[in-house]
Amino acid sequence: MAGDVATAAHVIDGKAFAAGLRARIAEAVPAFRAATGRVPGLAVVLVGDDPASAVYVGSKGKATLAAGMASFEHRLPASATQDAVEALLATLNADDAVDGILLQLPLPAHLGEQRAVATIDPDKDVDGLTPVSAGRLALGIPGMVPCTPYGCLLLLEDRLGDLSGKEAIVVGRSILVGKPMAQLLLGANCTVTMAHSRTRDLPERVRRADIVVAAVGRAEMVKGDWIKPGAVVIDVGINRLPPAAGEAKGRLVGDVDYAEVSVVADAITPVPGGVGPMTIACLLRNTLVAAHRRAGLADPEGL
Ligand code: NDP
C-alpha cells in the first residue's frame, strides 16, 4: 500500500510471459536439430467436427510451426470407432518423427476418453493426462505435466520466486487442472489445501492462503473479502457472461471477481490474457522437453 491509497494489484501479464517462453522455445529448436538432424514434432488428433475443438487444433498447429517444430494434424470422423482412435494413437506412438501426441478432448460421446488417452505413450504425453504421467507427477519423478497448471506454476514462480512454505489453496479438483496444480505446488514445497464443491467454509480457507488458484468454472465466484491482503491470485476460469444490453455476446470473465480482488491481492492474472496464453506455450515446451528426453539429451535450460 502506498500511503493511505489502496494500491491496485500487480497485473500478471500471461500474454507477455507466454510470448517470451515461446521465443525461448523457438531459440532452442536449432540446437536440437543440430544434435539430432530433425526438429521436434507434435501430432494433434481431432475426432469429429466440434467447431471450438477445430479452432483449438488450428491454433496449436500454427503455434507449433511458428516455433520451428513439425506439426502433424490427424482428423477422424465423428463416427470413428474406439479401435480406430486407438490404432491411430498406436501409429503415432511408433512414429519417430512424433515427440508429442495430443488427443483433443472432448471426444464424441460414444468413445471412452480415459481408455483412449491411456494408449498414448507416456513419454509423448504432452498433455500430461495418461495415468502414468499422473503417477509420475504424484511420485515426483520426471514426466509430462498438464500444460495449464504448469503455466500457472511458472507465473507464480516468476512473481514470488521460491514458493517454499507458502500456504496455497487450489479451488477445483479436476484431472486437467486442480489435481495436477496441487501436486505441482506440493512439489514446490507449498502447504496445499485442495478445495471443491463439498468444501465447508470455503471463504475462510481461501483467506488463509498466500497463493490462490481458482479453477472452478463459476463466473466471479471468489470475492474480494475471501482474499488475504498481499496474496497472489491465479484465475484459471474462463466463463462467458450473458450478453448485456447492446452486446452481441457476453464478456469473458474468470472464476475470480477481478474488480474486488484486484484491490486486495498483491498480484492477479486477468481474464483474458492471464493463464490462457500459457497453455499453448507450455504445450510447445512439453513437446520440446519430450523430444530432448526421447533423444537422450538433457532437458533444455530455462524452460
Ligand atoms: P471442471 O468442471 O472439470 O472442475 C471444476 C471443479 O470446481 C470441480 O472440482 C468442482 O468440484 C469445483 N467446484 C464447482 N463448484 C464449486 C463451488 N461452488 N465451490 C468450490 N468448488 C467448486 O473444470 P476444469 O478444472 O476443467 O476448469 C475449470 C475452469 O478453468 C473452467 O472455467 C475452464 O473453462 C477453465 N480452464 C481454463 C484453461 C485455460 O487454458 N485458461 C484450461 C482448462 C480449463 P467437485 O469436484 O466437487 O465437483
Side-chain angles (χ1 to χ4, degrees):
M1 298 269 173
D4 56 359
V5 181
T7 314
H10 169 78
V11 181
I12 297 175
D13 188 345
K15 210 171 157 188
F17 191 97
L21 179 57
R22 283 167 65 161
R24 294 199 298 283
I25 291 163
E27 280 164 19
V29 168
F32 179 84
R33 181 182 215 154
T36 63
R38 65 182 191 86
V39 294
L42 173 64
V44 181
V45 176
L46 175 61
V47 186
D49 33 36
D50 175 61
S53 293
V55 171
Y56 293 141
V57 166
S59 46
K60 285 167 187 170
K62 267 190 219 147
T64 308
L65 294 173
M69 302 190 200
S71 167
F72 310 101
E73 202 177 303
H74 295 269
R75 289 178 183 239
L76 292 176
S79 58
T81 62
Q82 185 82 26
D83 283 350
V85 175
E86 291 178 16
L88 173 57
L89 294 171
T91 309
L92 298 172
N93 284 344
D95 185 343
D96 239 356
V98 172
D99 296 291
I101 303 171
L102 185 149
L103 177 62
Q104 183 66 44
L105 302 178
L107 295 180
H110 67 282
L111 296 172
E113 261 178 24
Q114 292 212 355
R115 223 184 89 188
V117 167
T119 59
I120 297 172
D121 177 348
D123 293 337
K124 297 188 176 187
D125 174 25
V126 284
D127 243 355
L129 293 179
T130 61
V132 172
S133 296
R136 286 175 175 165
L137 180 58
L139 294 174
I141 58 180
M144 290 288 125
V145 175
C147 303
T148 301
Y150 190 73
C152 296
L153 183 74
L154 292 181
L155 294 178
L156 283 166
E157 288 179 338
D158 186 56
R159 181 66 189 166
L160 292 169
D162 183 9
L163 305 184
S164 286
K166 303 274 187 209
E167 292 272 346
I169 187 163
V170 181
V171 190
R173 57 173 165 179
S174 70
I175 292 170
L176 189 62
V177 187
K179 280 183 186 163
M181 185 75 246
Q183 291 285 1
L184 286 170
L185 290 167
L186 193 59
N189 298 316
C190 294
T191 303
V192 183
T193 301
M194 288 187 74
H196 46 78
S197 66
R198 315 289 171 88
T199 298
R200 278 180 286 162
D201 307 323
L202 182 60
E204 195 180 301
R205 289 176 195 278
V206 174
R207 255 192 306 273
R208 284 188 220 140
D210 307 305
I211 293 170
V212 178
V213 180
V216 185
R218 289 182 185 264
E220 301 177 318
M221 186 185 87
V222 176
K223 299 296 177 192
D225 63 1
W226 296 24
I227 300 295
K228 178 162 88 174
V232 175
V233 179
I234 303 289
D235 189 353
V236 182
I238 303 175
N239 310 287
R240 194 169 288 283
L241 295 179
E247 280 180 354
K249 52 182 182 176
R251 267 187 321 125
L252 276 186
V253 296
D255 292 338
V256 173
D257 187 325
Y258 187 90
E260 286 189 18
V261 170
S262 63
V263 291
V264 185
D266 161 66
I268 183 169
T269 56
V271 176
V275 173
M278 294 299 290
T279 300
I280 287 188
C282 290
L283 176 66
L284 302 177
R285 178 259 175 206
N286 280 356
T287 304
L288 185 70
V289 169
H292 279 72
R293 291 181 185 168
R294 291 186 60 249
L297 301 171
D299 282 3
E301 278 177 30
L303 300 176

